[in-house]
Amino acid sequence: MTKDTSRVNPLENEAIYIIREVAAQFEKPVLLFSGGKDSITLVRLAQKAFYPAKIPFPLMHIDTGHNFPETIAFRDRLVKELGLELIVRNVQDSIDEGKVKEESGRYSSRNSLQTTTLLDAIEEFKFDACIGGARRDEEKARAKERIFSVRDDFGQWDEKNQRPELFDMLNGQIHLGQNVRVFPISNWTELDVWSYIERENIEIPSIYFAHTRATFLRDGLIWSSDDEVVYRDENEVVEERLVRFRTVGDMSCTAAVLSDAADIASVVQEIRESTISERGARIDDKRSEAAMEKRKQQGYF
Amino acid sequence: MRKILILPTSYLILKNMEVLKIATAGSVDDGKSTLIGRILYDTKSLTSDKLEAIEKTSKQKGYDYLDFSLATDGLVAEREQGITIDVAHIYFSTQTKSYIIADTPGHVEYTRNMVTGASTSQAAIILIDARKGVIEQTNRHFFINNLLRVKEVIVAINKMDLVHFSEDIYNKIKADFETLMQKRDYQDQNITFIPVSALKGDNVVHKSRNTPWYKGQTLLEHFELLDTEDVYNVGTPRFPVQYVIRPKTEEFHDFRGYAGKVYGGELSVGDEVVALPSQTKSKIKEIYLYDQSYQTASRRSSVTITLEDDINVSRGDMLVKVDDLPTIDKQFTATISWMDSQNLVTGNKYVLQHGVNKVLAKVDAIHHKIHPDYSGIEEHISALGMNDIASVTFKLNKSIFFDPFKNHRTNGSFILIDSQSNNTVGVGFIQ
Ligand SMILES: Nc1nc2c(ncn2[C@@H]2O[C@H](COP(=O)(O)OP(=O)(O)O)[C@@H](O)[C@H]2O)c(=O)[nH]1
Ligand SMILES: [Mg+2]
């Protein structure tokens, strides 16, 4: 049914509204950029929010040092093209300074070590708002997250004492030392993000599309073989497989999926038909049912 | 920049673009979480890993059925105690729409959570336990959804399996609810009754064979057929300015754009507008979304507007059509819902956030408390506590530009912020 009034995309309009509120209500906002599809989508939304002016805040990447090289190359190209400021803070530095201890063994990952580096960076730059690409559909504890989520001086999330969010109104008032984590695409699903990337023709790193990769199997999941970064038992055999990544984080905690989806349309189709959730391929959540909630309380994104 | 007359066609063909936000209301154990879990299950929205987790936990707990409430109860304490503590948002989509359902907890901070859920929803499901019928709590659920002018209400009479799917019981509950409906203030609300069993799945997504006497739609069918444009309350166009865009680049040297979201109605290029509070007149020159310009900005779109004249407009100001001014005043009376453990008393000062505009407000008088179960009002009140609803007059340090809530859901509402704790402590609906 066609109507004379044109329809709008409510999710995009909501996200742009939220991003503009951040720029207006905070003194030192930053957009946390991981190089993944959600943060790339955020960058596009921020471009839209302020066009024809530039995005009025920097991007920050907390680099685990275990990222896919494709992601880093993509990141550097994007900030250059858009003329944005990029801040990089390294987990390796936190390890070298003895602030965190590298995990070892079979399921070791630098994913949870990011928290310390992130909190230090927030303090270093005195950021009062950090925009992130988390979505409520990702995980059960995230479903409880506010759009403006207040963190205390220690970056902690008090999940039982959150501010109510009424209508469109966002309360960004905080005490000195507190900061707010902002989630403009809270209400998007994985499929919404992919559909948007398709519609907007947004460029994303090549690892999201089918490619041949040296991999090995563990616990029914497909891992990228990179002995520097990903722990592998001797009896875990490396084989070439046609895969792609559905979510992109640290190499040591992101598993690939078998796929021949080589372009965005096939990826959207694949997601539409999928029966496994996005985070099903993230070992960091599988550690325990409450894994995410626990990490969030400690200041993780 | 390209000039086109309407939004590009890509907007019209984009899938998952129609979004319907639904709030649930019901007392503890009426089956809200189970109902949402059931919808997810029957629409095949539960991914295999989530389903496995539910099966595993249900078995651990010794249930001989699947406990669908596990799909929504996300916090550790919630799973341990088997209750919902905080509002959870659940997402699923069908061929026609994307749905967002708020699962609202049913106890201590109940009014607060329900008001919050209803404020962002266009539809609500009120659950009634068929064994209990309309109870005092039901009055409350209905009152709040009516107070917040939620356009579409579904009364789901649940646990029909426990009353042998009795038509008589269903009719009795429906009649009781209809009596309650006569007391409502917002008469345009659409109300639909559906007999369901959330646990067994009757009339949730699939039609039940146990209720041959029920000729209506299932819960999901009902939502599928709703036009998402019709679930919004229509008002007059209001454009609160969020942010002033000044690129100061060579290409856009003199560009001065007002970024914001259009509420209530549409705004078009050429419209004569007034900027508030300055009352300066101008005309809309261009409407942008990103690098495209448009003839018309539709309701709820986030756009950037430029004006013909170089007038002074900043964040918190508002653009409205010349023949369509809101009330401009430093004083008003509102119905408020109090959400803080510290009482509101006459003389207290708060930061009042009206849309994106902030002013200071002083409580001038508390007129009366309103019992949210339609049992009347209580006068001579000196303080309001958590979950109280009351009629209050505020005095402001600066004028705001508002409409009565009944004419404009956005421009008639505000929140109160405690300047000590910075918490959001209340919400108001201007009378
Ligand atoms: N027999 C029956 N039990 C139900 C039905 N819906 C919910 N229940 C049960 O009622 C209890 C409370 O349900 P829950 O969804 O947690 O209620 P909530 O507090 O409203 O979220 C659980 O034991 C459910 O299994 C129903 O339609 N029939
Ligand atoms: Mg519940």
Side-chain angles (χ1 to χ4, degrees):
Chain A
M1 192 174 53
T2 20
K3 289 202 157 189
D4 49 359
T5 324
S6 44
R7 296 194 169 196
V8 296
N9 178 351
L11 296 174
E12 180 187 56
N13 282 294
E14 179 180 82
I16 291 175
Y17 170 84
I18 295 164
I19 293 170
R20 287 170 169 171
E21 279 305 284
V22 177
Q25 291 198 38
F26 296 92
E27 300 203 348
K28 274 214 90 177
V30 67
L31 190 153
L32 298 183
F33 186 80
S34 70
K37 63 173 195 313
D38 296 319
S39 55
I40 294 169
T41 299
L42 278 183
V43 171
R44 170 58 58 89
L45 290 163
Q47 272 181 282
K48 288 200 174 196
F50 303 107
Y51 184 88
K54 268 200 224 161
I55 299 174
F57 38 74
L59 311 190
M60 179 163 77
H61 184 207
I62 303 300
D63 191 341
T64 59
H66 290 176
N67 288 287
F68 294 95
E70 293 92 332
T71 312
I72 301 295
F74 181 90
R75 173 196 80 187
D76 293 341
R77 200 152 39 83
L78 183 78
V79 292
K80 208 166 143 213
E81 267 168 26
L82 301 183
L84 301 175
E85 187 196 337
L86 172 73
I87 297 166
V88 180
R89 283 295 173 270
N90 298 298
V91 171
Q92 187 64 51
D93 293 337
S94 306
I95 295 171
D96 294 345
E97 287 160 26
K99 286 180 171 159
V100 290
K101 203 166 159 286
E102 181 108 72
E103 300 177 355
S104 60
R106 223 162 176 240
Y107 293 101
S108 62
S109 158
R110 285 187 170 182
N111 194 56
S112 64
L113 305 187
Q114 286 180 88
T115 305
T116 304
T117 318
L118 171 66
L119 296 183
D120 285 352
I122 291 172
E123 197 160 317
E124 176 188 350
F125 292 98
K126 306 264 176 290
F127 289 128
D128 50 4
C130 304
I131 304 172
R135 308 188 320 268
R136 287 173 181 155
D137 82 321
E138 277 179 83
E139 205 277 334
K140 282 190 287 188
R142 287 224 154 125
K144 307 270 170 174
E145 186 69 89
R146 297 294 186 266
I147 288 171
F148 272 19
S149 180
V150 182
R151 304 300 165 99
D152 66 13
D153 300 44
F154 304 97
Q156 288 173 321
W157 182 51
D158 183 0
E159 79 287 358
K160 290 189 202 76
N161 192 17
Q162 302 197 75
R163 291 179 184 172
E165 288 183 338
L166 296 129
F167 299 96
D168 261 5
M169 287 174 279
L170 295 167
N171 170 9
Q173 283 193 204
I174 47 171
H175 295 294
L176 202 67
Q178 287 183 327
N179 65 77
V180 172
R181 304 284 172 90
V182 182
F183 304 108
I185 57 168
S186 274
N187 284 326
W188 299 41
T189 61
E190 185 188 12
L191 184 58
D192 290 325
V193 173
W194 283 112
S195 307
Y196 189 73
I197 289 172
E198 181 181 23
R199 185 192 94 186
E200 293 286 317
N201 229 329
I202 302 174
E203 209 191 320
I204 48 172
S206 54
I207 49 173
Y208 280 114
F209 301 110
H211 57 283
T212 317
R213 178 175 285 268
T215 55
F216 67 91
L217 287 179
R218 177 193 300 156
D219 305 337
L221 298 176
I222 305 166
W223 299 96
S224 205
S225 157
D226 180 332
D227 291 348
E228 298 267 300
V229 172
V230 189
Y231 176 92
R232 186 169 61 84
D233 278 344
E234 267 169 43
N235 58 357
E236 290 171 327
V237 202
V238 177
E239 262 179 78
E240 299 243 304
R241 290 186 176 84
L242 186 62
V243 296
R244 62 175 211 91
F245 290 90
R246 232 175 119 173
T247 163
V248 168
D250 198 89
M251 269 170 92
S252 60
C253 69
T254 318
V257 291
L258 287 176
S259 168
D260 58 2
D263 57 27
I264 184 72
S266 343
V267 169
V268 170
Q269 190 58 28
E270 191 185 283
I271 301 294
R272 211 176 268 287
E273 288 162 4
S274 170
T275 58
I276 297 184
S277 73
E278 180 180 354
R279 289 213 158 246
R282 299 275 298 242
I283 198 72
D284 43 333
D285 294 336
K286 291 218 156 166
R287 287 180 177 189
S288 88
E289 203 175 352
M292 174 67 87
E293 185 181 340
K294 214 150 66 194
R295 272 182 293 147
K296 283 174 77 71
Q297 285 165 349
Q298 289 158 358
Y300 181 77
F301 216 78
Chain B
M1 284 184 198
R2 210 144 47 93
K3 276 260 178 203
I4 42 171
L5 282 183
I6 48 165
L7 292 166
T9 48
S10 60
Y11 275 76
L12 302 174
I13 55 169
L14 178 76
K15 296 214 172 75
N16 297 317
M17 162 201 63
E18 288 198 31
V19 176
L20 185 66
K21 294 190 183 176
I22 305 167
T24 55
S27 312
V28 183
D29 284 349
D30 279 352
K32 295 179 295 297
S33 301
T34 308
L35 181 70
I36 294 170
R38 165 58 71 180
I39 296 174
L40 295 178
Y41 183 70
D42 282 356
T43 54
K44 309 213 164 22
S45 309
L46 286 173
T47 51
S48 56
D49 47 330
K50 281 183 186 160
L51 194 55
E52 265 168 41
I54 291 172
E55 280 165 358
K56 198 174 112 194
T57 315
S58 297
K59 205 177 271 170
Q60 272 170 7
K61 291 192 167 177
Y63 299 155
D64 55 1
Y65 54 88
L66 292 182
D67 183 358
F68 291 119
S69 69
L70 294 167
T72 70
D73 290 339
L75 300 172
V76 176
E78 291 178 328
R79 285 193 299 272
E80 280 170 7
Q81 299 167 36
I83 54 162
T84 314
I85 293 172
D86 191 15
V87 182
H89 298 88
I90 317 297
Y91 301 81
F92 71 96
S93 43
T94 62
Q95 290 297 329
T96 66
K97 285 185 189 72
S98 286
Y99 292 91
I100 304 174
I101 306 191
D103 183 12
T104 24
H107 45 111
V108 204
E109 290 166 350
Y110 192 58
T111 305
R112 161 184 150 149
N113 285 325
M114 217 168 77
V115 168
T116 307
S119 78
T120 50
S121 302
Q122 301 90 43
I125 304 172
I126 296 179
L127 273 98
I128 296 178
D129 185 329
R131 297 170 303 179
K132 297 181 191 153
V134 174
I135 54 172
E136 195 229 301
Q137 289 286 326
T138 315
N139 294 13
R140 245 169 229 274
H141 304 150
F142 181 60
F143 178 91
I144 288 171
N145 278 298
N146 206 259
L147 174 70
L148 273 104
R149 305 180 84 77
V150 176
K151 188 85 180 271
E152 197 62 45
V153 169
I154 290 19
V155 181
I157 300 170
N158 189 32
K159 307 200 184 183
M160 287 300 293
D161 56 307
L162 298 180
V163 296
H164 314 289
F165 296 97
S166 155
E167 184 181 8
D168 287 347
I169 290 181
Y170 169 81
N171 282 335
K172 164 84 171 58
I173 295 172
K174 187 169 170 233
D176 287 349
F177 200 94
E178 280 163 347
T179 311
L180 181 62
M181 276 158 56
Q182 288 161 9
K183 301 182 188 167
R184 72 187 155 155
D185 181 46
Y186 172 40
Q187 288 285 340
D188 289 341
Q189 196 170 45
N190 303 321
I191 299 172
T192 310
F193 297 88
I194 307 179
V196 302
S197 166
L199 193 67
K200 306 284 165 65
D202 300 78
N203 295 327
V204 178
V205 172
H206 305 299
K207 231 178 200 92
S208 168
R209 273 186 239 147
N210 298 314
T211 54
W213 44 267
Y214 174 70
K215 304 287 180 239
Q217 296 159 337
T218 69
L219 189 67
L220 188 70
E221 278 168 0
H222 182 82
F223 289 134
E224 287 285 277
L225 292 170
L226 272 185
D227 185 327
T228 43
E229 282 303 300
D230 294 343
V231 295
Y232 285 92
N233 297 288
V234 180
T236 45
R238 300 289 181 233
F239 188 75
V241 175
Q242 269 189 286
Y243 192 82
V244 181
I245 294 178
R246 304 222 51 189
K248 296 185 188 139
T249 56
E250 229 162 86
E251 194 189 348
F252 297 98
H253 195 269
D254 294 320
F255 186 97
R256 193 182 168 90
Y258 304 110
K261 201 167 161 184
V262 189
Y263 294 98
E266 296 179 345
L267 287 174
S268 296
V269 170
D271 282 353
E272 282 192 66
V273 292
V274 187
L276 300 173
S278 71
Q279 305 250 24
T280 333
K281 285 185 189 167
S282 188
K283 259 190 190 164
I284 296 185
K285 187 176 165 195
E286 299 147 313
I287 296 171
Y288 289 103
L289 170 55
Y290 199 26
D291 55 358
Q292 298 215 356
S293 79
Y294 298 90
Q295 181 63 29
T296 299
S298 38
R299 278 192 287 152
R300 305 188 313 283
S301 59
S302 281
V303 295
T304 300
I305 288 178
T306 63
L307 298 178
E308 294 283 358
D309 310 280
D310 216 356
I311 60 176
N312 195 4
V313 178
S314 47
R315 175 174 166 87
D317 293 359
M318 184 181 282
L319 300 178
V320 299
K321 287 198 189 178
V322 275
D323 45 7
D324 207 0
L325 296 191
T327 308
I328 304 170
D329 207 342
K330 284 173 92 162
Q331 178 172 335
F332 60 77
T333 300
T335 304
I336 70 162
S337 164
W338 191 246
M339 305 183 154
D340 201 45
S341 50
Q342 293 215 15
N343 288 349
L344 173 140
V345 284
T346 310
N348 276 8
K349 288 184 187 137
Y350 300 96
V351 174
L352 186 146
Q353 184 174 341
H354 173 238
V356 299
N357 191 18
K358 278 183 187 173
V359 294
L360 291 176
K362 188 171 157 186
V363 179
D364 190 51
I366 305 173
H367 304 291
H368 52 258
K369 221 150 85 170
I370 304 164
H371 294 305
D373 54 1
Y374 291 104
S375 67
I377 60 168
E378 194 179 329
E379 289 178 295
H380 312 295
I381 296 294
S382 58
L384 299 181
M386 170 89 84
N387 293 326
D388 281 346
I389 293 175
S391 176
V392 176
T393 296
F394 291 93
K395 278 192 170 151
L396 314 179
N397 70 331
K398 273 198 302 195
S399 291
I400 59 167
F401 345 109
F402 60 87
D403 296 288
F405 186 71
K406 69 173 167 38
N407 296 346
H408 211 291
R409 223 176 159 216
T410 322
N411 203 38
S413 54
F414 59 88
I415 55 171
L416 296 166
I417 300 168
D418 181 321
S419 46
Q420 296 289 304
S421 69
N422 286 331
N423 282 334
T424 304
V425 288
V427 58
F429 317 101
I430 303 172
Q431 290 170 11

